[in-house]
Amino acid sequence: MTDYPKIAARFARDTQHHEMTVLHDDGLYRHLNFATPEHGSIGAFHLITWPYNLVVKTGWTFHFDIDATPDMFNLFRKTAFPGEINPGYWSEKVRAGRDEIESFDPDLFEQQVKRYVAHSIRDGEAPRGIGREVASEIFELGDISHEAGARAALADFRYEGWDFGDLSEWDFSDYTPGFLWSCHAIRHGIDLWDAATKAVAA
């Protein structure tokens, strides 16, 4: 199962009527288009390969390369089960588009703050009323829609001598929806390609 079920469900909806069109097929040189014919380019994506390289164009563009794998389809086949993705490993192979792989995630920020506060309460380190104060000062009044504002809200928080301490190790980034959607596009596109080539061979 994917660790990002919302993106998996969105991808399934977006592509449920996709058809594959082979624009170029010459060994390791491929250009495949996946789209719903009546929707034109909406939700469409392309997979383009040449030796040691793969580009996925989905509205976002990511270029993967690895010197040890001439056929990049094999890399993605071997590092995730059909229908699943491996964003951690695959992100290491991105040459172009790296600034689109991860970004600040407000939901992750909220989860980490609440978890930290809960642990502090459980360990007897936080004063009474801390949960209500954090909810008010950070989640209601804080400008936490972006990372700078979220970090400032934590750094400025004080309640009866309690604060969030050293924030340098806190990480509020996660894979972007665009990168995860593109990972699903790669895995799905390869699965459709494999099914089509097996059908021709049969």
Side-chain angles (χ1 to χ4, degrees), residues 18-20 34 45 187-197:
H18 271 22
E19 297 177 5
M20 181 178 71
F34 302 85
F45 65 91
R187 182 69 256 193
H188 182 61
I190 292 172
D191 290 344
L192 291 179
W193 168 257
D194 288 344
T197 53

Side-chain angles (χ1 to χ4, degrees), residues 23-92:
L23 302 177
H24 187 79
D25 177 18
D26 180 14
L28 300 183
Y29 297 85
R30 311 179 187 94
H31 185 176
L32 311 176
N33 179 51
F34 302 85
T36 303
E38 59 266 30
H39 293 168
S41 61
I42 298 174
F45 65 91
H46 294 259
L47 294 183
I48 303 164
T49 66
W50 65 98
Y52 308 101
N53 292 269
L54 179 145
V55 170
V56 56
K57 296 176 66 67
T58 66
W60 305 269
T61 299
F62 296 96
H63 174 195
F64 300 77
D65 76 346
I66 179 170
D67 292 341
T69 308
D71 186 353
M72 288 292 283
F73 277 12
N74 284 335
L75 172 73
F76 295 97
R77 287 187 189 107
K78 292 177 178 178
T79 54
F81 292 111
E84 297 188 7
I85 61 174
N86 188 349
Y89 180 71
W90 295 353
S91 66
E92 299 172 1

Side-chain angles (χ1 to χ4, degrees), residues 4 7 56 58 60-65 76 85-105 108 171-183 186:
Y4 301 90
I7 295 296
V56 56
T58 66
W60 305 269
T61 299
F62 296 96
H63 174 195
F64 300 77
D65 76 346
F76 295 97
I85 61 174
N86 188 349
Y89 180 71
W90 295 353
S91 66
E92 299 172 1
K93 312 305 176 188
V94 173
R95 168 181 287 187
R98 296 203 60 81
D99 56 341
E100 298 291 333
I101 293 175
E102 294 185 1
S103 67
F104 172 70
D105 185 337
L108 181 61
D171 184 2
F172 308 120
S173 296
D174 203 354
Y175 298 114
T176 64
F179 179 67
L180 294 170
W181 201 99
S182 297
C183 287
I186 293 170

